[in-house]
Amino acid sequence: MQAKKRYLISLLTGAFLVLLFYFGGGAVPGPAATGSRSRHGYNRPDQPWPHFSDPLQHFIPWDHSDTEEYNVHISPRQKRDVNSSVYKGKRCRMQSCFDFTLCQRNGFKVYVYPQQKGEKISESYQNILSTIEGSRFYTSDPGQACLFVLSLDTLDRDQLSPQYVHNLKTKVQSLPLWNNGRNHLIFNLYSGTWPDYTEDLGFDIGQAMLAKASISMENFRPNFDISIPLFSKDHPRTGGDRGYLKYNTIPPFRKYMLVFKGKRYLTGIGSDTRNALHHVHNAEDVVLLTTCKHGKDWQKHKDARCDQDNAEYDK
């Protein structure tokens, strides 16, 4: 009789536990029930990972948009949208800051703004404008233009220069066709003033392309800006002797292989480069002439080579 009671109690207890697991979803969590040891030796949670209704958005930094791995997984349209939203101002590229549709309609035509009354223009900049106006690419109709060039002189942006144009920011912004510089080309030879010569032009060029001399790598926008040589105001617009360089002409017909004549900055930006020119100068086929006479206090920074350099320069 006692055995039957023990058997009945055990059966009821087992049935109760089965019902508890079935309707309760599991035992009460405890230190031993929060996870189970898998066959690989790590704890695996009993409950599944929660499901998020909103998927996580991909984060792609702007500097990854030019990598090969990124370009494989993005369509051309998506790439243009990314470039248009990121590459503005200092990060301009042709596909983001240049309107090619203006060129597709009428071909490559260049419009030069009419010269405004009372605005002074240097001889060098006038030569640039005259060369454009005399080319087959020039158009007097802005509606036909693919590229726009200012008549405001932007070559010399040194505030100490007599060629410096004041209030250029206001004048540029008031141009009806400026459009934040889109499809515009800005020419510049000098920017800032001695001794730092910062590259601030005194106005925001926006999305305009910059054809500039002595532009730094930090500010140069690849495949958008144009690096040009620094030429003097006496440089002829056209003409000159015919070149004598031909194939397999060794030595060349001309006497001089390299010629440079200019100021040697004793301090400030560019001083290290020009101070090293005397190592290349041999006074025969390589002639590099520099003068220390630059600035009002150049004698304070005078070095041992200045007297000889000034004498050769004055010849």
Side-chain angles (χ1 to χ4, degrees):
M1 186 67 181
Q2 296 295 332
K4 291 182 178 180
K5 290 182 177 180
R6 287 197 298 269
Y7 178 77
L8 182 60
I9 293 174
S10 299
L11 182 61
L12 292 174
T13 303
F16 176 75
L17 292 175
V18 171
L19 293 174
L20 181 64
F21 273 89
Y22 183 80
F23 292 103
V28 178
T34 54
S36 61
R37 179 72 64 177
S38 72
R39 61 180 177 179
H40 296 292
Y42 58 88
N43 291 332
R44 178 177 58 83
D46 292 328
Q47 297 296 332
W49 288 101
H51 175 72
F52 297 96
S53 58
D54 297 331
L56 297 177
Q57 299 295 327
H58 296 288
F59 172 72
I60 302 178
W62 71 269
D63 56 350
H64 287 180
S65 60
D66 287 336
T67 62
E68 293 182 2
E69 181 179 358
Y70 171 77
N71 291 332
V72 171
H73 300 91
I74 189 172
S75 67
R77 181 176 181 179
Q78 289 175 318
K79 184 177 181 181
R80 286 194 300 268
D81 292 341
V82 171
N83 289 335
S84 297
S85 62
V86 174
Y87 289 127
K88 297 295 184 182
K90 289 188 177 181
R91 295 176 182 172
C92 268
R93 298 296 184 270
M94 292 298 293
Q95 62 267 30
S96 61
C97 295
F98 192 88
D99 187 1
F100 286 97
T101 60
L102 300 181
C103 308
Q104 294 171 352
R105 289 200 301 260
N106 305 298
F108 186 74
K109 298 293 183 180
V110 184
Y111 173 78
V112 178
Y113 282 79
Q115 297 185 12
Q116 302 179 11
K117 294 182 178 180
E119 291 293 342
K120 57 183 180 181
I121 299 180
S122 63
E123 182 179 355
S124 298
Y125 195 62
Q126 183 61 61
N127 287 338
I128 294 177
L129 300 183
S130 299
T131 301
I132 296 175
E133 292 172 346
S135 70
R136 68 178 187 275
F137 304 105
Y138 172 72
T139 178
S140 58
D141 183 6
Q144 300 287 324
C146 163
L147 189 66
F148 299 82
V149 177
L150 302 179
S151 62
L152 297 168
D153 193 345
T154 58
L155 282 187
D156 195 343
R157 300 306 297 157
D158 184 349
Q159 297 184 13
L160 301 180
S161 171
Q163 305 294 339
Y164 181 81
V165 178
H166 295 274
N167 301 322
L168 191 57
K169 178 180 179 180
T170 303
K171 296 175 181 178
V172 170
Q173 295 294 337
S174 63
L175 296 174
L177 301 175
W178 174 242
N179 192 24
N180 196 30
R182 200 171 183 86
N183 287 51
H184 282 66
L185 179 61
I186 305 296
F187 291 92
N188 177 254
L189 296 181
Y190 309 96
S191 60
T193 188
W194 186 86
D196 297 323
Y197 290 100
T198 61
E199 297 187 34
D200 182 15
L201 302 184
F203 71 102
D204 184 11
I205 65 174
Q207 300 179 25
M209 296 174 291
L210 183 62
K212 179 175 172 54
S214 305
I215 187 172
S216 64
M217 291 294 296
E218 292 78 10
N219 294 326
F220 181 77
R221 297 167 293 181
N223 301 321
F224 192 74
D225 290 332
I226 307 168
S227 179
I228 60 176
L230 179 63
F231 55 89
S232 68
K233 61 181 180 179
D234 299 326
H235 189 79
R237 172 185 165 190
T238 58
D241 296 333
R242 182 180 178 181
Y244 292 99
L245 184 61
K246 298 181 179 180
Y247 292 107
N248 301 325
T249 304
I250 301 175
F253 294 143
R254 290 193 173 186
K255 178 180 179 181
Y256 301 105
M257 182 180 70
L258 176 63
V259 175
F260 172 81
K261 185 177 183 180
K263 298 175 180 178
R264 175 160 70 88
Y265 303 121
L266 300 175
T267 59
I269 186 173
S271 58
D272 294 338
T273 303
R274 296 203 178 186
N275 282 336
L277 292 178
H278 72 279
H279 293 290
V280 188
H281 173 75
N282 62 15
E284 295 179 0
D285 61 334
V286 178
V287 180
L288 302 175
L289 305 175
T290 58
T291 177
C292 297
K293 298 178 180 179
H294 184 219
K296 298 179 180 179
D297 57 347
W298 68 270
Q299 292 183 343
K300 296 180 181 179
H301 308 283
K302 182 179 178 181
D303 58 24
R305 296 200 331 268
C306 279
D307 290 338
Q308 181 180 354
D309 288 353
N310 292 341
E312 293 184 356
Y313 181 89
D314 293 337
K315 291 180 182 179

